[in-house]
Amino acid sequence: MRREDRAVHTTWKTGALAEASGLTVRTLHHWDAIGLLTPSRRTAAGHRVYTGNDLARLYQILALRGLGLDLETIGACLDAGVDPVRLVRDHLAEVDSALAALETLRTRLSRLSAELAQDGAVSGPALLDALHATGRAAAQATLRRHLNPASVRELAGRAASLGPAAHYHLHVEWPELYRRAARLRSAGTPPSDPAVRRLVARMDELAALFTGGDAGISAGVRAAWREAPHTMSGDPAADPADYREPAAYLDASRTTAPTPEGPHP
């Protein structure tokens, strides 16, 4: 029997498949329970037995999850008949993107290491290069947990088209808008207040510059900021609470009716 034929006819019990795939037995049981990955066979005693076809579906599940899709969406994609060529191509694009960011970081860290080895001193430009590359790699990794590769590429393309203004909007204006929201919240200003709604309007304008008005991408970016504001803002000292609480406050403003403004003198 040829090797590929043996692979097709090989079967795995749950423990063996969990070990080979890096998953837990509990995860495989859960995926079976929700119908995401149901083993093709059962033993007489009722134990799960996975086949080569099940293994192929498992790869697709893991690849789609790596692209940022949730389990419900993955199930819908697979049940609708996902194109395996496109799946592998998208997975490869995601890996290439991650490798490119790491290669940039490696190059700049190597330059920094060489300067340190030469005389123990580091030039300002080399240090800033390394810091920026580190920050970009971390921000990209955070975004990839909330957005699929196509959305991450769209964000990068729109940011590049903005030129130097992108840095100002992301690392100066955006954090300052959060700080203003925090001050209004601390002062007890209701989310429906016009001052808060003006902040929301400006933040949504900025989001549209980078997302093209795509609500899904905007939601993913906000989730990334809530998860890791220190990487998204480029400020390693940023406290997640400084962003999460104002973010909830701003989200409340988006969903409440506005308070009428008083007469202007």
Side-chain angles (χ1 to χ4, degrees), residues 7-90:
V8 169
H9 290 89
T10 299
T11 59
W12 295 264
K13 290 187 177 178
T14 305
L17 185 60
E19 182 178 358
S21 63
L23 298 170
T24 65
V25 169
R26 182 177 180 180
T27 294
L28 291 175
H29 286 177
H30 174 62
W31 288 1
D32 181 14
I34 65 175
L36 182 63
L37 181 65
T38 300
S40 297
R41 301 179 189 172
R42 297 261 180 177
T43 67
H47 298 301
R48 298 168 176 85
V49 177
Y50 295 86
T51 67
N53 288 334
D54 299 328
L55 189 64
R57 183 174 174 96
L58 175 59
Y59 168 76
Q60 293 176 323
I61 292 169
L62 295 178
L64 289 170
R65 193 171 67 164
L67 297 177
L69 302 183
D70 58 57
L71 295 181
E72 183 177 357
T73 302
I74 291 171
C77 287
L78 295 181
D79 293 341
V82 67
D83 177 3
V85 174
R86 179 177 178 183
L87 172 64
V88 174
R89 186 184 300 123
D90 287 347

Side-chain angles (χ1 to χ4, degrees), residues 74-261:
I74 291 171
C77 287
L78 295 181
D79 293 341
V82 67
D83 177 3
V85 174
R86 179 177 178 183
L87 172 64
V88 174
R89 186 184 300 123
D90 287 347
H91 197 181
L92 178 61
E94 169 71 3
V95 171
D96 284 342
S97 176
L99 287 175
L102 288 173
E103 183 58 32
T104 298
L105 178 58
R106 183 183 185 281
T107 298
R108 293 177 180 181
L109 289 175
S110 295
R111 187 181 308 147
L112 186 60
S113 176
E115 289 196 11
L116 283 169
Q118 184 174 359
D119 56 12
V122 181
S123 68
L127 184 57
L128 285 175
D129 263 359
L131 289 172
H132 289 162
T134 301
R136 281 194 293 272
Q140 287 288 310
T142 302
L143 284 170
R144 283 195 294 270
R145 286 194 288 274
H146 299 280
L147 295 170
N148 61 43
S151 296
V152 172
R153 289 193 294 272
E154 182 174 348
L155 277 175
R158 289 183 177 276
S161 71
L162 292 172
H167 182 273
Y168 171 79
H169 291 320
L170 284 175
H171 299 294
V172 179
E173 186 176 8
W174 192 269
E176 175 57 25
L177 291 172
Y178 267 106
R179 286 191 287 269
R180 292 181 190 174
R183 289 194 293 269
L184 288 169
R185 177 180 173 276
S186 297
T189 307
S192 59
D193 189 89
V196 184
R197 298 184 74 84
R198 284 194 292 270
L199 277 183
V200 168
R202 179 54 183 161
M203 296 187 86
D204 289 347
E205 285 176 358
L206 290 180
L209 286 176
F210 292 91
T211 67
D214 187 303
I217 297 179
S218 294
V221 171
R222 287 199 298 271
W225 272 81
R226 285 193 291 269
E227 176 193 334
H230 52 292
T231 59
M232 297 301 295
S233 67
D235 178 7
D239 183 345
D242 292 341
Y243 289 87
R244 289 174 186 159
E245 293 173 357
Y249 176 65
L250 293 165
D251 283 343
S253 180
R254 291 183 174 93
T255 59
T256 56
T259 300
E261 294 197 54

